[in-house]
PDB file of all heavy atoms in Angstrom:
ATOM      1  N   ALA A  13       9.543  12.466 127.637  1.00 43.00           N
ATOM      2  CA  ALA A  13      10.095  13.232 126.554  1.00 43.00           C
ATOM      3  C   ALA A  13       9.057  14.136 125.929  1.00 43.00           C
ATOM      4  O   ALA A  13       9.327  15.296 125.627  1.00 43.00           O
ATOM      5  CB  ALA A  13      10.690  12.298 125.474  1.00 43.00           C
ATOM      6  N   THR A  14       7.833  13.629 125.823  1.00 39.00           N
ATOM      7  CA  THR A  14       6.739  14.388 125.276  1.00 39.00           C
ATOM      8  C   THR A  14       6.418  15.614 126.155  1.00 39.00           C
ATOM      9  O   THR A  14       6.219  16.728 125.629  1.00 39.00           O
ATOM     10  CB  THR A  14       5.484  13.567 125.134  1.00 39.00           C
ATOM     11  OG1 THR A  14       5.777  12.427 124.269  1.00 39.00           O
ATOM     12  CG2 THR A  14       4.317  14.366 124.529  1.00 39.00           C
ATOM     13  N   LEU A  15       6.429  15.394 127.454  1.00 35.00           N
ATOM     14  CA  LEU A  15       6.110  16.520 128.373  1.00 35.00           C
ATOM     15  C   LEU A  15       7.193  17.601 128.335  1.00 35.00           C
ATOM     16  O   LEU A  15       6.919  18.737 128.367  1.00 35.00           O
ATOM     17  CB  LEU A  15       5.994  15.950 129.805  1.00 35.00           C
ATOM     18  CG  LEU A  15       4.721  15.141 130.094  1.00 35.00           C
ATOM     19  CD1 LEU A  15       4.791  14.499 131.461  1.00 35.00           C
ATOM     20  CD2 LEU A  15       3.490  15.987 129.958  1.00 35.00           C
ATOM     21  N   VAL A  16       8.465  17.101 128.257  1.00 40.00           N
ATOM     22  CA  VAL A  16       9.586  18.145 128.083  1.00 40.00           C
ATOM     23  C   VAL A  16       9.419  18.927 126.823  1.00 40.00           C
ATOM     24  O   VAL A  16       9.612  20.158 126.812  1.00 40.00           O
ATOM     25  CB  VAL A  16      10.906  17.385 128.122  1.00 40.00           C
ATOM     26  CG1 VAL A  16      12.033  18.348 127.771  1.00 40.00           C
ATOM     27  CG2 VAL A  16      11.160  16.749 129.508  1.00 40.00           C
ATOM     28  N   PHE A  17       9.064  18.270 125.733  1.00 39.00           N
ATOM     29  CA  PHE A  17       8.886  18.932 124.430  1.00 39.00           C
ATOM     30  C   PHE A  17       7.813  19.951 124.492  1.00 39.00           C
ATOM     31  O   PHE A  17       7.928  21.107 124.082  1.00 39.00           O
ATOM     32  CB  PHE A  17       8.636  17.889 123.346  1.00 39.00           C
ATOM     33  CG  PHE A  17       8.342  18.556 122.002  1.00 39.00           C
ATOM     34  CD1 PHE A  17       9.343  19.061 121.187  1.00 39.00           C
ATOM     35  CD2 PHE A  17       7.013  18.640 121.555  1.00 39.00           C
ATOM     36  CE1 PHE A  17       9.075  19.642 119.989  1.00 39.00           C
ATOM     37  CE2 PHE A  17       6.732  19.252 120.360  1.00 39.00           C
ATOM     38  CZ  PHE A  17       7.793  19.717 119.562  1.00 39.00           C
ATOM     39  N   LEU A  18       6.653  19.547 125.069  1.00 35.00           N
ATOM     40  CA  LEU A  18       5.491  20.457 125.155  1.00 35.00           C
ATOM     41  C   LEU A  18       5.804  21.635 126.058  1.00 35.00           C
ATOM     42  O   LEU A  18       5.433  22.776 125.733  1.00 35.00           O
ATOM     43  CB  LEU A  18       4.300  19.728 125.682  1.00 35.00           C
ATOM     44  CG  LEU A  18       3.672  18.665 124.733  1.00 35.00           C
ATOM     45  CD1 LEU A  18       2.578  17.930 125.461  1.00 35.00           C
ATOM     46  CD2 LEU A  18       3.140  19.339 123.506  1.00 35.00           C
ATOM     47  N   ALA A  19       6.530  21.399 127.100  1.00 37.00           N
ATOM     48  CA  ALA A  19       6.875  22.509 128.033  1.00 37.00           C
ATOM     49  C   ALA A  19       7.809  23.508 127.279  1.00 37.00           C
ATOM     50  O   ALA A  19       7.654  24.707 127.453  1.00 37.00           O
ATOM     51  CB  ALA A  19       7.608  21.961 129.277  1.00 37.00           C
ATOM     52  N   ALA A  20       8.734  22.975 126.459  1.00 41.00           N
ATOM     53  CA  ALA A  20       9.662  23.838 125.793  1.00 41.00           C
ATOM     54  C   ALA A  20       8.944  24.684 124.744  1.00 41.00           C
ATOM     55  O   ALA A  20       9.405  25.790 124.396  1.00 41.00           O
ATOM     56  CB  ALA A  20      10.790  23.019 125.153  1.00 41.00           C
ATOM     57  N   CYS A  21       7.831  24.160 124.170  1.00 41.00           N
ATOM     58  CA  CYS A  21       7.170  24.846 123.101  1.00 41.00           C
ATOM     59  C   CYS A  21       5.973  25.616 123.557  1.00 41.00           C
ATOM     60  O   CYS A  21       5.239  26.255 122.807  1.00 41.00           O
ATOM     61  CB  CYS A  21       6.763  23.856 121.985  1.00 41.00           C
ATOM     62  SG  CYS A  21       8.150  23.053 121.172  1.00 41.00           S
ATOM     63  N   GLY A  22       5.632  25.567 124.854  1.00 35.00           N
ATOM     64  CA  GLY A  22       4.426  26.232 125.361  1.00 35.00           C
ATOM     65  C   GLY A  22       4.478  27.708 125.293  1.00 35.00           C
ATOM     66  O   GLY A  22       5.582  28.333 125.234  1.00 35.00           O
ATOM     67  N   SER A  23       3.320  28.347 125.362  1.00 36.00           N
ATOM     68  CA  SER A  23       3.245  29.821 125.200  1.00 36.00           C
ATOM     69  C   SER A  23       3.916  30.517 126.391  1.00 36.00           C
ATOM     70  O   SER A  23       4.323  31.646 126.277  1.00 36.00           O
ATOM     71  CB  SER A  23       1.778  30.201 125.099  1.00 36.00           C
ATOM     72  OG  SER A  23       1.062  29.807 126.251  1.00 36.00           O
ATOM     73  N   ASP A  24       4.037  29.820 127.583  1.00 46.00           N
ATOM     74  CA  ASP A  24       4.586  30.503 128.710  1.00 46.00           C
ATOM     75  C   ASP A  24       6.082  30.679 128.620  1.00 46.00           C
ATOM     76  O   ASP A  24       6.700  31.421 129.355  1.00 46.00           O
ATOM     77  CB  ASP A  24       4.288  29.684 130.027  1.00 46.00           C
ATOM     78  CG  ASP A  24       2.789  29.731 130.351  1.00 46.00           C
ATOM     79  OD1 ASP A  24       2.156  30.708 129.877  1.00 46.00           O
ATOM     80  OD2 ASP A  24       2.335  28.852 131.097  1.00 46.00           O
ATOM     81  N   SER A  25       6.721  29.891 127.693  1.00 52.00           N
ATOM     82  CA  SER A  25       8.173  29.930 127.628  1.00 52.00           C
ATOM     83  C   SER A  25       8.716  31.280 127.149  1.00 52.00           C
ATOM     84  O   SER A  25       9.837  31.568 127.325  1.00 52.00           O
ATOM     85  CB  SER A  25       8.719  28.820 126.643  1.00 52.00           C
ATOM     86  OG  SER A  25       8.210  29.050 125.345  1.00 52.00           O
ATOM     87  N   GLY A  26       7.864  32.051 126.471  1.00 75.00           N
ATOM     88  CA  GLY A  26       8.273  33.383 125.990  1.00 75.00           C
ATOM     89  C   GLY A  26       7.809  34.496 126.836  1.00 75.00           C
ATOM     90  O   GLY A  26       7.802  35.672 126.401  1.00 75.00           O
ATOM     91  N   SER A  27       7.430  34.272 128.076  1.00 91.00           N
ATOM     92  CA  SER A  27       6.962  35.314 128.997  1.00 91.00           C
ATOM     93  C   SER A  27       8.146  36.259 129.296  1.00 91.00           C
ATOM     94  O   SER A  27       9.326  35.888 129.226  1.00 91.00           O
ATOM     95  CB  SER A  27       6.426  34.815 130.269  1.00 91.00           C
ATOM     96  OG  SER A  27       7.390  34.182 131.050  1.00 91.00           O
ATOM     97  N   LEU A  28       7.813  37.470 129.698  1.00 96.00           N
ATOM     98  CA  LEU A  28       8.845  38.483 130.028  1.00 96.00           C
ATOM     99  C   LEU A  28       9.710  38.027 131.126  1.00 96.00           C
ATOM    100  O   LEU A  28      10.969  38.122 131.053  1.00 96.00           O
ATOM    101  CB  LEU A  28       8.115  39.802 130.396  1.00 96.00           C
ATOM    102  CG  LEU A  28       9.074  40.949 130.857  1.00 96.00           C
ATOM    103  CD1 LEU A  28      10.067  41.260 129.770  1.00 96.00           C
ATOM    104  CD2 LEU A  28       8.280  42.160 131.257  1.00 96.00           C
ATOM    105  N   GLU A  29       9.159  37.449 132.164  1.00 96.00           N
ATOM    106  CA  GLU A  29       9.998  36.991 133.347  1.00 96.00           C
ATOM    107  C   GLU A  29      10.935  35.872 132.892  1.00 96.00           C
ATOM    108  O   GLU A  29      12.137  35.861 133.274  1.00 96.00           O
ATOM    109  CB  GLU A  29       9.072  36.511 134.450  1.00 96.00           C
ATOM    110  CG  GLU A  29       9.847  36.037 135.631  1.00 96.00           C
ATOM    111  CD  GLU A  29       8.873  35.570 136.772  1.00 96.00           C
ATOM    112  OE1 GLU A  29       7.654  35.641 136.595  1.00 96.00           O
ATOM    113  OE2 GLU A  29       9.429  35.179 137.853  1.00 96.00           O
ATOM    114  N   ASP A  30      10.436  34.907 132.100  1.00 96.00           N
ATOM    115  CA  ASP A  30      11.267  33.810 131.627  1.00 96.00           C
ATOM    116  C   ASP A  30      12.428  34.319 130.751  1.00 96.00           C
ATOM    117  O   ASP A  30      13.564  33.837 130.908  1.00 96.00           O
ATOM    118  CB  ASP A  30      10.474  32.744 130.875  1.00 96.00           C
ATOM    119  CG  ASP A  30       9.576  31.972 131.796  1.00 96.00           C
ATOM    120  OD1 ASP A  30       9.852  31.940 133.011  1.00 96.00           O
ATOM    121  OD2 ASP A  30       8.634  31.323 131.245  1.00 96.00           O
ATOM    122  N   LEU A  31      12.153  35.285 129.886  1.00 97.00           N
ATOM    123  CA  LEU A  31      13.180  35.808 129.010  1.00 97.00           C
ATOM    124  C   LEU A  31      14.210  36.562 129.799  1.00 97.00           C
ATOM    125  O   LEU A  31      15.428  36.448 129.512  1.00 97.00           O
ATOM    126  CB  LEU A  31      12.553  36.695 127.946  1.00 97.00           C
ATOM    127  CG  LEU A  31      11.596  35.987 126.915  1.00 97.00           C
ATOM    128  CD1 LEU A  31      11.003  37.022 125.977  1.00 97.00           C
ATOM    129  CD2 LEU A  31      12.338  34.943 126.168  1.00 97.00           C
TER     130      LEU A  31
END
Side-chain angles (χ1 to χ4, degrees):
T14 302
L15 289 172
V16 170
F17 174 78
L18 290 174
C21 296
S23 60
D24 290 340
S25 64
S27 70
L28 176 59
E29 183 178 359
D30 287 342
L31 295 177

